[in-house]
Amino acid sequence: MAIQDVAMEFTRNAMNDRGTTRMRRVILRLAVVIDRIGRGRITANTVTAAGVGIQALAAGLVALGHLLPGALLLAVSLPADLLDGELARLQGRASARGMLLDATADRVSEVVLFCGIAYHLTMTGPRGAAVWAVAACGAALCVSYVKAKGEAAIATREMTHDALNRIFQMGLAPLTNRKRILILGLVVDQLLLATIAVALLSSITIGQRWVAISQRL
């Protein structure tokens, strides 16, 4: 029960703006430490690959019904979403290729995670519950797709890679919040409700980002 309380508090704090800002500061310090320990040999790509592996393992645990260990591993993968970018900027290696690799890894990881959730809901949930995993996965991918199309539309203007990557991060359910909702659902054994929440909030986020992009064009 203590582990559940810690995980719930982590998720609750991380989902507000203050928690996100605090996490970014911690991630920046962690990037500095990793760079010093690895003497520059641990790159952002290494961190990205590690994050994919951790999330794939989390998906496997969820599929097999080990929800709390899956939640803990998913929580461990959260910092990788920010750490690779901070490390790339710290090492002066931020590039369009790195952004592409990071975005691709995030999408692959999310699809694998929802495959694990769909399998678990098929085996243990009510009939048809896995449909929500499909809906959540599709909506989540569309959130990122709208952001990518918005970046492409604005890319003709002079803008750094980092600035371009940050301009359309608004909305209720960016990648980190989607993961936090699923972590909370895993911890309290309400995975179906969490998956439904991701599907609905992601759909709202698509509209929020579409409006924001339209206003910039």
Side-chain angles (χ1 to χ4, degrees):
M1 189 65 181
I3 296 178
Q4 292 180 331
D5 291 339
V6 170
M8 289 177 66
E9 185 66 20
F10 166 81
T11 305
R12 194 161 43 240
N13 289 338
M15 287 188 69
N16 58 51
D17 291 336
R18 184 178 299 177
T20 300
T21 301
R22 189 183 305 118
M23 178 177 287
R24 286 191 177 278
R25 291 174 181 168
V26 172
I27 293 299
L28 179 57
R29 292 172 186 165
L30 181 58
V32 172
V33 172
I34 290 176
D35 186 54
R36 288 177 179 173
I37 293 176
R39 297 181 180 180
R41 290 190 293 270
I42 300 176
T43 66
N45 291 349
T46 304
V47 174
T48 299
V52 172
I54 292 172
Q55 191 157 316
L57 183 56
L61 289 171
V62 171
L64 296 174
H66 305 299
L67 302 190
L68 188 54
L72 293 175
L73 271 184
L74 192 57
V76 170
S77 77
L78 266 173
D81 295 332
L82 300 173
L83 180 58
D84 50 6
E86 292 293 348
L87 191 59
R89 285 186 286 275
L90 180 65
Q91 296 175 341
R93 294 174 176 170
S95 65
R97 181 175 294 180
M99 286 176 59
L100 176 62
L101 176 63
D102 182 41
T104 303
D106 286 343
R107 302 296 77 76
V108 170
S109 296
E110 201 158 21
V111 169
V112 169
L113 176 61
F114 279 113
C115 285
I117 291 173
Y119 182 84
H120 175 74
L121 292 178
T122 299
M123 294 295 104
T124 63
R127 186 175 182 180
V131 170
W132 281 105
V134 177
C137 185
L141 292 178
C142 284
V143 169
S144 301
Y145 177 78
V146 170
K147 178 178 182 292
K149 294 299 287 186
E151 290 173 350
I154 303 296
T156 53
R157 304 176 185 179
E158 292 186 5
M159 190 174 291
T160 64
H161 295 309
D162 184 47
L164 184 62
N165 192 44
R166 293 176 185 271
I167 56 174
F168 298 125
Q169 293 280 19
M170 74 290 292
L172 295 174
L175 175 60
T176 50
N177 281 1
R178 296 196 296 269
K179 282 190 178 183
R180 290 160 184 161
I181 292 169
L182 293 175
I183 290 170
L184 183 59
L186 290 166
V187 169
V188 300
D189 198 12
Q190 293 294 332
L191 185 55
L192 177 57
L193 289 179
T195 305
I196 293 172
V198 169
L200 297 179
L201 292 176
S202 294
S203 298
I204 294 172
T205 304
I206 293 168
Q208 291 176 306
R209 292 189 175 184
W210 189 89
V211 170
I213 292 167
S214 297
Q215 292 173 344
R216 294 286 297 272
L217 297 176

